mmCIF file of all heavy atoms in Angstrom:
data_model
loop_
_atom_site.group_PDB
_atom_site.id
_atom_site.type_symbol
_atom_site.label_atom_id
_atom_site.label_comp_id
_atom_site.label_asym_id
_atom_site.label_seq_id
_atom_site.Cartn_x
_atom_site.Cartn_y
_atom_site.Cartn_z
ATOM 1 N N SER I 81 20.337 -25.447 37.124
ATOM 2 C CA SER I 81 19.715 -26.037 38.308
ATOM 3 C C SER I 81 18.269 -25.567 38.457
ATOM 4 O O SER I 81 17.367 -26.352 38.774
ATOM 5 C CB SER I 81 20.527 -25.668 39.553
ATOM 6 O OG SER I 81 19.879 -26.134 40.729
ATOM 7 N N LEU I 82 18.040 -24.278 38.204
ATOM 8 C CA LEU I 82 16.693 -23.733 38.305
ATOM 9 C C LEU I 82 15.766 -24.355 37.280
ATOM 10 O O LEU I 82 14.630 -24.736 37.585
ATOM 11 C CB LEU I 82 16.746 -22.208 38.128
ATOM 12 C CG LEU I 82 15.406 -21.468 38.146
ATOM 13 C CD1 LEU I 82 14.737 -21.634 39.495
ATOM 14 C CD2 LEU I 82 15.617 -19.980 37.843
ATOM 15 N N LEU I 83 16.227 -24.480 36.031
ATOM 16 C CA LEU I 83 15.400 -25.094 34.983
ATOM 17 C C LEU I 83 15.090 -26.553 35.293
ATOM 18 O O LEU I 83 13.982 -27.048 35.026
ATOM 19 C CB LEU I 83 16.116 -24.971 33.631
ATOM 20 C CG LEU I 83 16.226 -23.550 33.062
ATOM 21 C CD1 LEU I 83 17.076 -23.543 31.805
ATOM 22 C CD2 LEU I 83 14.843 -22.993 32.765
ATOM 23 N N ALA I 84 16.065 -27.283 35.836
ATOM 24 C CA ALA I 84 15.839 -28.681 36.196
ATOM 25 C C ALA I 84 14.782 -28.794 37.288
ATOM 26 O O ALA I 84 13.932 -29.690 37.278
ATOM 27 C CB ALA I 84 17.152 -29.328 36.643
ATOM 28 N N GLU I 85 14.803 -27.871 38.256
ATOM 29 C CA GLU I 85 13.806 -27.872 39.324
ATOM 30 C C GLU I 85 12.411 -27.617 38.776
ATOM 31 O O GLU I 85 11.445 -28.266 39.171
ATOM 32 C CB GLU I 85 14.182 -26.811 40.359
ATOM 33 C CG GLU I 85 13.198 -26.724 41.533
ATOM 34 C CD GLU I 85 13.561 -25.611 42.487
ATOM 35 O OE1 GLU I 85 14.637 -25.003 42.318
ATOM 36 O OE2 GLU I 85 12.757 -25.336 43.389
ATOM 37 N N ILE I 86 12.307 -26.650 37.839
ATOM 38 C CA ILE I 86 11.009 -26.346 37.244
ATOM 39 C C ILE I 86 10.486 -27.549 36.474
ATOM 40 O O ILE I 86 9.320 -27.927 36.566
ATOM 41 C CB ILE I 86 11.120 -25.113 36.316
ATOM 42 C CG1 ILE I 86 11.452 -23.874 37.140
ATOM 43 C CG2 ILE I 86 9.844 -24.910 35.517
ATOM 44 C CD1 ILE I 86 11.747 -22.655 36.299
ATOM 45 N N ALA I 87 11.355 -28.207 35.678
ATOM 46 C CA ALA I 87 10.930 -29.354 34.877
ATOM 47 C C ALA I 87 10.460 -30.499 35.758
ATOM 48 O O ALA I 87 9.507 -31.212 35.428
ATOM 49 C CB ALA I 87 12.081 -29.803 33.976
ATOM 50 N N SER I 88 11.102 -30.723 36.910
ATOM 51 C CA SER I 88 10.704 -31.828 37.784
ATOM 52 C C SER I 88 9.354 -31.589 38.433
ATOM 53 O O SER I 88 8.641 -32.526 38.779
ATOM 54 C CB SER I 88 11.767 -32.041 38.868
ATOM 55 O OG SER I 88 11.838 -30.891 39.721
ATOM 56 N N ASP I 89 8.962 -30.304 38.603
ATOM 57 C CA ASP I 89 7.678 -29.986 39.228
ATOM 58 C C ASP I 89 6.512 -30.077 38.267
ATOM 59 O O ASP I 89 5.362 -30.199 38.691
ATOM 60 C CB ASP I 89 7.713 -28.572 39.821
ATOM 61 C CG ASP I 89 8.545 -28.518 41.090
ATOM 62 O OD1 ASP I 89 8.747 -29.592 41.674
ATOM 63 O OD2 ASP I 89 8.971 -27.409 41.462
ATOM 64 N N ARG I 90 6.764 -29.997 36.952
ATOM 65 C CA ARG I 90 5.671 -29.961 35.987
ATOM 66 C C ARG I 90 5.127 -31.357 35.735
ATOM 67 O O ARG I 90 5.832 -32.355 35.811
ATOM 68 C CB ARG I 90 6.146 -29.327 34.677
ATOM 69 C CG ARG I 90 6.560 -27.878 34.850
ATOM 70 C CD ARG I 90 6.894 -27.247 33.535
ATOM 71 N NE ARG I 90 5.723 -27.208 32.672
ATOM 72 C CZ ARG I 90 5.715 -26.634 31.475
ATOM 73 N NH1 ARG I 90 6.802 -26.080 31.008
ATOM 74 N NH2 ARG I 90 4.623 -26.643 30.753
ATOM 75 N N GLN I 91 3.816 -31.414 35.388
ATOM 76 C CA GLN I 91 3.131 -32.660 35.112
ATOM 77 C C GLN I 91 2.775 -32.716 33.640
ATOM 78 O O GLN I 91 2.680 -31.691 32.982
ATOM 79 C CB GLN I 91 1.852 -32.760 35.939
ATOM 80 C CG GLN I 91 2.062 -32.599 37.427
ATOM 81 C CD GLN I 91 0.749 -32.582 38.153
ATOM 82 O OE1 GLN I 91 -0.192 -33.232 37.738
ATOM 83 N NE2 GLN I 91 0.687 -31.825 39.234
ATOM 84 N N PRO I 92 2.564 -33.920 33.101
ATOM 85 C CA PRO I 92 2.108 -34.012 31.712
ATOM 86 C C PRO I 92 0.783 -33.280 31.527
ATOM 87 O O PRO I 92 -0.034 -33.204 32.434
ATOM 88 C CB PRO I 92 1.945 -35.525 31.488
ATOM 89 C CG PRO I 92 2.809 -36.163 32.524
ATOM 90 C CD PRO I 92 2.776 -35.236 33.710
ATOM 91 N N VAL I 93 0.547 -32.759 30.319
ATOM 92 C CA VAL I 93 -0.677 -32.010 30.062
ATOM 93 C C VAL I 93 -1.907 -32.875 30.297
ATOM 94 O O VAL I 93 -2.926 -32.420 30.794
ATOM 95 C CB VAL I 93 -0.658 -31.469 28.609
ATOM 96 C CG1 VAL I 93 -1.973 -30.796 28.268
ATOM 97 C CG2 VAL I 93 0.496 -30.517 28.426
#
Side-chain angles (χ1 to χ4, degrees):
S81 175
L82 178 63
L83 291 174
E85 180 183 353
I86 294 173
S88 64
D89 286 340
R90 297 185 63 176
Q91 305 175 32
V93 175

